[in-house]
Amino acid sequence: MDVRNRFVASLAAISLLYAGSAWAGAITGSAHDFSGSNWSGGKICVACHAPHKSDTTVSDAPLWNHTHSSATYTLYSSATLKATISQPGGNSKLCLSCHDGTIAVDSFGGATGTTMVTSGNLGTDLKKSHPIGFTYDTALVTANGSLHDPETKTVTIGSGTQTRSGTLKSVLLYNGKMECGSCHDVHNTFTVGATGSGLVKLDQAGSKICLTCHDK
Ligand code: HEC
Ligand code: HEC
Ligand code: HEC
Ligand code: HEC
């Protein structure tokens, strides 16, 4: 083998190594890789996205293909909460189109499917879940007294070669609001663990994920 061929061979070996390793940082093999389901036609993205004729009824929905839920959610409330909670915002509505358990995973592109989420059924009573759908800003930090300021506190999400750094506001919030994507990365791109670790953007060890925002 001449030098050039040896170089090409080693490049191929490296890419094989990466393709085969279970590092965090890919939708392939994650809970959202639907390519193995018989209804997906071997595709990963199709249950959520379409390149054309996408559904634009929910604001900020990127080329959306999945049927939306029409549920009205019971919102989080407590005696101590300072935030003003509203119905879930765009990002969360996309997740809840499968995870409130009212619409099938394979209901997309206008078709009605039959496969429901199982362990991931959060229901429509969001009082049972960490609050979402509210503005997290300096005013809320002042009112609450034990939160980090999302405008100034910085964080690094992800792991290995796939990380993103910035203020809480720039890497965790959606239009300044707390949504499902504040803790999870739907594509498993900027997550901390291997497959099955809950698609979380920050480590759960020592509750690092919680202490990123809560100054306890
Ligand atoms: C389970 C649903 C789901 C699947 C499957 C999915 N996406 Fe997404 N995608 C979303 C949601 C929700 C958003 C918007 C929120 C966000 O970016 O966190 C999004 C946003 C995006 C964006 C814009 C923002 C960004 O992250 O760059 C791109 C590009 C994208 N997806 C590409 C893809 C591709 C390519 C695939 C298949 C390989 C895919 N997605 C599979 C749900 C999905
Ligand atoms: C097209 C339907 C669909 C959409 C949209 C969707 N999911 Fe999922 N999600 C699933 C399915 C199916 C599973 C596998 C578990 C189950 O069946 O309950 C899953 C699993 C998960 C898990 C568990 C992962 C694990 O490794 O155990 C998390 C966390 C999650 N989803 C978060 C989200 C978030 C956050 C969004 C929006 C940004 C989202 N999902 C959008 C269908 C969806
Ligand atoms: C404050 C952070 C936070 C927010 C906000 C959040 N989650 Fe989670 N979620 C977590 C953590 C932490 C886990 C546990 C991950 C694990 O260990 O598997 C989890 C688990 C899950 C699971 C897996 C449940 C199971 O038992 O299989 C799903 C599905 C999920 N979240 C979806 C959502 C959706 C949809 C939203 C928005 C409505 C949301 N999450 C908002 C932190 C959050
Ligand atoms: C991205 C930032 C962020 C993350 C991550 C986060 N939280 Fe929160 N959490 C908030 C904000 C902001 C509030 C609203 C506080 C308020 O309104 O007073 C809140 C509210 C809460 C509440 C309700 C407080 C009340 O008074 O009713 C609890 C409990 C809580 N979080 C616990 C957790 C735990 C446990 C984790 C880790 C699994 C976590 N949070 C992760 C930002 C976050």
Side-chain angles (χ1 to χ4, degrees):
M1 202 187 283
D2 69 21
V3 174
R4 200 188 146 270
N5 282 345
R6 204 174 299 151
F7 177 66
V8 170
S10 57
L11 272 186
I14 290 167
S15 54
L16 266 181
L17 216 139
Y18 276 107
S21 65
W23 64 343
I27 193 167
T28 308
S30 77
H32 290 148
D33 177 356
F34 303 119
S35 61
S37 304
N38 55 15
W39 47 260
S40 69
K43 297 173 189 165
I44 299 178
C45 322
V46 71
C48 297
H49 302 290
H52 301 291
K53 300 181 184 170
S54 64
D55 185 332
T56 55
T57 50
V58 167
S59 57
D60 299 331
L63 297 174
W64 200 245
N65 202 29
H66 197 261
T67 307
H68 290 298
S69 171
S70 55
T72 303
Y73 298 94
T74 304
L75 305 181
Y76 182 89
S77 62
S78 82
T80 45
L81 192 82
K82 299 288 185 255
T84 307
I85 315 277
S86 52
Q87 287 292 317
N91 171 266
S92 302
K93 268 193 82 72
L94 302 180
C95 312
L96 289 165
S97 74
C98 286
H99 285 288
D100 74 4
T102 68
I103 308 282
V105 177
D106 49 344
S107 289
F108 59 87
T112 305
T114 52
T115 310
M116 305 304 282
V117 282
T118 53
S119 59
N121 183 355
L122 303 181
T124 58
D125 183 358
L126 297 182
K127 198 173 185 340
K128 297 178 184 170
S129 284
H130 189 285
I132 50 144
F134 63 90
T135 299
Y136 175 17
D137 60 5
T138 310
L140 181 63
V141 174
T142 307
N144 175 292
S146 67
L147 287 168
H148 292 293
D149 191 337
E151 303 267 4
T152 52
K153 168 93 190 293
T154 56
V155 65
T156 298
I157 58 167
S159 54
T161 54
Q162 297 203 211
T163 58
R164 268 186 74 199
S165 301
T167 59
L168 301 186
K169 186 178 182 183
S170 69
V171 292
L172 300 181
L173 303 185
Y174 290 79
N175 297 325
K177 288 184 155 194
M178 180 90 188
E179 303 292 353
C180 308
S182 300
C183 295
H184 297 286
D185 182 343
V186 66
H187 305 112
N188 197 31
T189 313
F190 300 105
T191 51
V192 290
T195 304
S197 61
L199 307 175
V200 282
K201 290 180 167 178
L202 291 152
D203 222 327
Q204 293 191 71
S207 291
K208 187 182 169 200
I209 182 169
C210 317
L211 294 171
T212 297
C213 301
H214 294 275
D215 189 6
K216 294 288 184 207

